[in-house]
Amino acid sequence: MGFPEGFLWGAATAAYQIEGAAQEDGRAASIWDTFSHTPGKVLNGDTGDVATDHYHRRQQDVATMSELGIGAYRFSISWSRVLPEGTANQKGMDFYSRLVDELLEHGIAPVATLYHWDLPQVLEDAGGWPERDTARRFADYAERIGRVLGDRVHTWTTLNEPWCSAFLGYGSGVHAPGRTDPVAALRAAHHLNLAHGLAVRALRGVVSPSAQHSVTLNLHHLRGEAEAVRRVDAVSNRVFLDPMLGSGYPADLLDDTAHLTDWSFLHDGDAEIAAAPLDILGVNYYSPTLVREWDGVSPRAHADGHRPGAATPFVGCDDVEFAEQPGPHTAMGWPIDATGMEELLLRLHREYPHTPLMITENGAAFDDVVDDDGRVRDDRRVAYLRDHIAAVERACQAGADVRGYFAWSLLDNFEWAYGYSKRFGLVHVDYTTGERTWKDSASWYRDTIARGPS
Ligand code: FCB
């Protein structure tokens, strides 16, 4: 087997996508509550008010994880549930504390993400991620939750996909809070880097010394014309990778965006903070991205759903567009190509050889149905997972230091701007009754983990 000893097999979820109970036990609104309740922002007017009702079905869901045989569960903590108005909400804290205890009772390592896109609305009202103070508030939140869960959490992840928070949230506006201001997006990116570094520092001061510290990035595996690839790589990958891994912002990124901002929001000492030492770099991978020069005339397609005419999330890349890629595609329209994952892991291994890696999300949406006999025959998801796990294995054999793989997702859930229309789960959720049904992919994943892949 090409996987190293102790390799973690897991599944991932995120708070707003599964919990529901949006107004229970003292939880306050996050930017995703506001956004999803704004007409036209989420498909079919869906909201996360109930989601998969995980808040009330936690024990059942942990039992499912145990049956799957996963060794680790990656979940996120809702900031506005645990610190609704800046002061601790005991009921919110208790929810996660019980979850962590139940995971440990089942021998499942808790992998906790502090921020999976759900900024408390009060902080957005104060300016959100474009404001420096949000980073300080994040570190305060990290420290407080670290004090509560720090003796039991195996791995801490500061941020999930800060690229989406900054550039989809404040650039193209397809995610909450829905702003379309390129400078705000760059400011947000910087304050997310800062928040990450401050939070790692704060956590290290209060949690178990054996805990691992990480961040999860959705690195774009780019193909296409060299100059387009360079520009998009700067503003989607290196804008986070380089500061977090110690080399500061890339000079070409500063040049490419100089017509927009002088980066005066970058203060002395910030680079050192953002570069707080990491134990693991989390990587989310779904598909490769093909870019090319844009002719400036035809409607421009973008990565976020390929919506022609939408504002670009690739700030400073005004002459770049996305090219359609050959099939097959998932229900998201994303091309299926596992070679991109292997190439991405090998690139990271080459460029950051001392940073261990973990696949913190990988999976696919398909239009699953529960057949009359109660089975969900999701053969395409099985094939997707099998091919991508094989790609991780090849990367390990070629020397990449990959420590784990988390399937996205444990359950079907609220897929952001697509609402409940896209199903990524290993387990099917009936949104009328909340009923869970194992898909064939769940059984396949269980057997794969039990047998050891390949
Ligand atoms: C990632 C997100 C995750 C989910 C998957 C499909 O970008 O981190 O919450 O939406 O995509």
Side-chain angles (χ1 to χ4, degrees):
M1 221 181 51
F3 292 98
E5 192 70 25
F7 191 87
L8 279 182
W9 294 101
T13 63
Y16 190 70
Q17 296 183 274
I18 64 165
E19 286 178 4
Q23 286 163 26
E24 277 177 59
D25 291 347
R27 179 185 179 278
S30 79
I31 54 175
W32 269 97
D33 294 279
T34 309
F35 190 75
S36 66
H37 281 268
T38 306
K41 298 296 185 190
V42 173
L43 212 62
N44 304 320
D46 290 343
T47 73
D49 287 3
V50 178
T52 72
D53 198 28
H54 169 74
Y55 191 75
H56 299 116
R57 292 170 181 260
R58 188 190 66 233
Q59 288 168 302
Q60 178 190 355
D61 290 338
V62 172
T64 299
M65 296 176 213
S66 177
E67 284 163 38
L68 274 170
I70 54 177
Y73 173 53
R74 175 176 181 257
F75 61 97
S76 82
I77 295 163
S78 160
W79 188 349
S80 61
R81 194 183 288 291
V82 297
L83 291 181
E85 305 292 342
T87 46
N89 173 28
Q90 194 55 46
K91 287 187 173 164
M93 294 280 187
D94 288 348
F95 172 78
Y96 296 107
S97 210
R98 288 196 196 106
L99 170 66
V100 165
D101 285 342
E102 285 158 13
L103 291 169
L104 293 172
E105 279 158 27
H106 285 88
I108 301 170
V111 174
T113 299
L114 291 177
Y115 187 72
H116 200 123
W117 306 351
D118 43 359
L119 186 70
Q121 182 62 42
V122 283
L123 295 183
E124 175 58 24
D125 294 343
W129 286 112
E131 290 306 317
R132 194 175 175 89
D133 192 50
T134 306
R136 196 186 56 74
R137 301 290 292 266
F138 182 69
D140 173 57
Y141 156 54
E143 183 176 331
R144 296 223 224 166
I145 195 81
R147 283 187 195 284
V148 178
L149 303 179
D151 53 336
R152 289 162 288 158
V153 166
H154 176 277
T155 300
W156 289 95
T157 305
T158 54
L159 307 171
N160 175 72
E161 303 191 352
W163 181 80
C164 296
S165 302
F167 295 100
L168 301 184
Y170 295 91
S172 70
V174 300
H175 279 186
R179 280 156 68 177
T180 50
D181 173 350
V183 178
L186 290 170
R187 292 176 63 98
H190 176 58
H191 296 139
L192 284 155
N193 278 321
L194 195 63
H196 157 76
L198 288 170
V200 170
R201 260 193 203 179
L203 283 172
R204 283 199 196 270
V206 296
V207 307
S208 156
S210 64
Q212 305 231 299
H213 295 273
S214 69
V215 66
T216 278
L217 303 180
N218 58 318
L219 297 170
H220 292 69
H221 183 64
L222 297 159
R223 293 172 175 161
E225 295 169 7
E227 175 59 8
V229 166
R230 182 198 63 72
R231 290 172 83 99
V232 175
D233 186 48
V235 77
S236 64
N237 297 331
R238 289 180 285 123
V239 62
F240 297 108
L241 275 174
D242 287 8
M244 288 178 176
L245 296 178
S247 51
Y249 288 103
D252 61 336
L253 171 68
L254 303 183
D255 284 353
D256 290 347
T257 55
H259 61 293
L260 295 166
T261 171
D262 60 3
W263 286 71
S264 52
F265 47 85
L266 172 57
H267 296 182
D268 285 350
D270 286 0
E272 289 70 38
I273 296 172
L278 278 179
D279 302 310
I280 297 271
L281 173 65
V283 178
N284 291 353
Y285 174 89
Y286 290 91
S287 59
T289 304
L290 185 61
V291 291
R292 65 176 173 223
E293 297 293 315
W294 178 45
D295 63 13
V297 181
S298 39
R300 186 165 53 163
H302 292 300
D304 44 17
H306 291 271
R307 294 191 202 171
T312 179
F314 292 106
V315 167
C317 305
D318 294 337
D319 44 7
V320 173
E321 73 167 356
F322 287 86
E324 290 300 328
Q325 298 180 68
H329 298 96
T330 68
M332 297 296 283
W334 298 346
I336 301 174
D337 185 346
T339 64
M341 176 130 131
E342 182 182 359
E343 290 166 17
L344 176 62
L345 289 171
L346 292 177
R347 168 194 176 178
L348 294 169
H349 172 57
R350 214 170 36 243
E351 295 184 11
Y352 309 95
H354 305 299
T355 306
L357 307 170
M358 188 132 85
I359 296 293
T360 39
E361 284 180 28
N362 174 242
F366 293 107
D367 297 327
D368 306 312
V369 287
V370 183
D371 291 336
D372 290 342
D373 63 357
R375 255 179 75 185
V376 182
R377 293 173 166 78
D378 60 338
D379 306 349
R380 286 177 299 172
R381 183 172 294 100
V382 171
Y384 181 100
L385 295 173
R386 190 190 52 228
D387 292 351
H388 284 75
I389 289 173
V392 179
E393 187 172 19
R394 286 195 302 275
C396 290
Q397 282 161 342
D401 183 3
V402 189
R403 304 280 174 94
Y405 173 93
F406 290 72
W408 183 270
S409 180
L410 177 70
L411 303 165
D412 289 340
N413 59 51
F414 176 83
E415 178 47 35
W416 310 112
Y418 295 90
Y420 298 102
S421 69
K422 304 294 177 200
R423 296 181 175 273
F424 275 92
L426 297 169
V427 174
H428 180 278
V429 175
D430 177 323
Y431 291 111
T432 311
T433 62
E435 190 181 347
R436 275 81 165 130
T437 306
W438 278 44
K439 301 181 191 176
D440 283 0
S441 58
S443 311
W444 177 85
Y445 195 47
R446 176 199 57 205
D447 295 347
T448 302
I449 296 172
R451 202 178 48 235
S454 76

